[in-house]
Amino acid sequence: MLDRCDVLVVGAGPAGSTAARYAAEAGLDVLLIDKRKEIGVPVCCGEFNASLAVLAEALPNAPGLDELFPIDPGLVRRKIRGAVAVSPGGREYEFDLPGYTVDRDAFDRHLADAAVREGAVLSPDTMFLERDGRRVTTSRGDIEANVVVAADGPLSRVCRSAGMERSAVLAPAITCRVDGEFGDRLRFFFGSSVAPGGYAWVFPKRGCANVGLGVQRPATPVPILLRAFLSHNGFAARDIQAGFVPVSGPIGETVCENVLAVGDAAGHVVASNGGGIAPAMLCGRLAGLTTAKHLLHGEPLGAYEQAWRSAIGRELLAAARTKKAADRILGSDFLLEQAMGILGGRGIRNIIVLGGLRGR
């Protein structure tokens, strides 16, 4: 493992691997570390990516979408045609939502491999311990790094080392795999008996589905809620994993000292649906490019803050406001039933996919 580098990226998820790829492509010495022994494992994710057309609709100011998406067809596990939202009373509302599901472990390894092909050095089973300026202590020794990219999740230790705040609201989520054939539509389930303050999902893959739920401040632990949902639908689960999703919008400051925050560490998640892969990769790309301009041409590192906020900041903040407003309705099955009836499929799609933004 390198003991000195231009850029140290902590976390080999979509944000970190993409940042490492673009920094290395620019000619920088990049070290990408991850605490996991195997990149991408365990999986705690819905494993759905929207189509390039949907991403362009939802994030119209984001540069480089066509560079990042669509992905290698070999990673696609099921092409998705649309979605169905199921109300607390069982009413179904259909809407278009083209995209595809992936095996997230293979997807993450694919992104890490892309960074390595550009020259980044990958070091799994390496834990970030502490940081003092450019000196970073890991479980495999000390590293001298000019810039550190925090891509280590919503409880980021790297952000904490730089005095950055963490996301104010972390929603617990849990996922599993269920064998069977589930068609080509995503299914979202709402209601207090299913996922209070959130939703449960069934996302089809090849020969199985990603099934899970995300909630907010649950009185009942998420494993119990998941078991109830599985039992109600006659599902037998495997590969159960739980984690947290930041749903309060981006943190206030994503650049401090020589540290940049990306992905879940920065709150780069569409709060209205919990989706984080596309924002993570977009911001990872911007982090890598900005770091290269900083180290090679002397441009300020703080330009990253302006870059990602110009690209997707408005949309992420709007989705967070929508999520906060929807929390009042999600707490009442009666209000939720009425609201879904008024919105219909098109309106529900607008809330979930676009975060409530219209007319763009």
Side-chain angles (χ1 to χ4, degrees):
M1 188 178 77
L2 300 178
D3 59 7
R4 183 183 298 273
C5 61
D6 294 320
V7 186
L8 172 65
V9 181
V10 183
S17 289
T18 305
R21 167 190 166 187
Y22 280 92
E25 186 179 51
L28 299 178
D29 292 326
V30 179
L31 176 60
L32 174 61
I33 68 173
D34 196 286
K35 66 182 180 181
R36 298 169 293 183
K37 292 183 179 180
E38 183 179 351
I39 302 303
V41 178
V43 172
C44 186
C45 174
E47 301 182 292
F48 171 72
N49 281 344
S51 70
L52 178 58
V54 172
L55 291 176
E57 178 189 11
L59 304 170
N61 301 310
L65 275 172
D66 54 345
E67 291 183 29
L68 298 170
F69 303 97
I71 62 161
D72 184 338
L75 294 171
V76 173
R77 291 296 169 260
R78 175 73 70 187
K79 290 185 178 180
I80 299 299
R81 180 165 59 94
V84 178
V86 183
S87 75
R91 295 178 66 184
E92 297 189 353
Y93 300 88
E94 297 186 6
F95 53 92
D96 291 336
L97 184 55
Y100 52 90
T101 50
V102 299
D103 287 338
R104 178 61 188 273
D105 50 351
F107 182 73
D108 280 14
R109 288 194 294 271
H110 170 78
L111 296 179
D113 288 344
V116 171
R117 285 195 297 271
E118 295 298 339
V121 175
L122 175 64
S123 180
D125 197 20
T126 304
M127 184 176 294
F128 171 92
L129 298 177
E130 59 184 7
R131 176 193 141 273
D132 183 9
R134 290 185 172 86
R135 176 67 60 178
V136 176
T137 300
T138 78
S139 57
R140 291 180 178 267
D142 287 356
I143 303 162
E144 190 82 16
N146 291 321
V147 174
V148 181
V149 176
D152 52 337
L155 301 175
S156 173
R157 296 179 71 174
V158 182
C159 285
R160 192 161 64 245
S161 78
M164 294 181 186
E165 65 184 273
R166 79 173 197 188
S167 293
V169 181
L170 299 177
I174 189 167
T175 67
C176 66
R177 206 166 277 189
V178 172
D179 292 329
E181 292 296 335
F182 296 87
D184 60 0
R185 286 184 176 271
L186 308 179
R187 295 182 71 84
F188 300 89
F189 298 82
F190 296 88
S192 59
S193 64
V194 177
Y199 66 86
W201 66 81
V202 176
F203 291 177
K205 297 173 67 177
R206 187 182 304 154
C208 65
N210 182 301
V211 176
L213 55 86
V215 298
Q216 192 157 316
R217 301 186 184 93
T220 304
V222 288
I224 295 176
L225 291 170
L226 179 64
R227 284 199 297 270
F229 181 69
L230 294 169
S231 176
H232 178 75
N233 289 280
F235 295 155
R238 56 188 174 90
D239 303 331
I240 298 175
Q241 295 292 335
F244 292 96
V245 179
V247 292
S248 50
I251 63 175
E253 183 181 26
T254 60
V255 181
C256 189
E257 300 175 8
N258 66 329
V259 176
L260 305 180
V262 295
D264 282 4
H268 291 154
V269 172
V270 182
S272 57
N273 59 43
I277 293 176
M281 292 176 66
L282 286 163
C283 293
R285 176 179 177 275
L286 292 171
L289 293 173
T290 303
T291 298
K293 291 177 183 177
H294 170 66
L295 294 177
L296 297 175
H297 306 294
E299 296 190 16
L301 201 58
Y304 165 69
E305 188 91 52
Q306 180 180 354
W308 77 256
R309 290 188 184 276
S310 295
I312 65 172
R314 174 174 176 262
E315 288 75 20
L316 294 187
L317 289 172
R321 288 193 296 268
T322 297
K323 171 68 170 66
K324 188 173 182 180
D327 286 344
R328 304 186 188 96
I329 297 173
L330 289 168
S332 165
D333 284 357
F334 174 78
L335 292 177
L336 184 55
E337 191 76 42
Q338 299 302 309
M340 292 179 74
I342 293 170
L343 289 168
R346 184 184 297 272
I348 293 170
R349 179 190 185 275
N350 177 63
I351 296 294
I352 293 176
V353 179
L354 305 182
L357 290 178
R358 295 176 182 269
R360 297 180 302 175

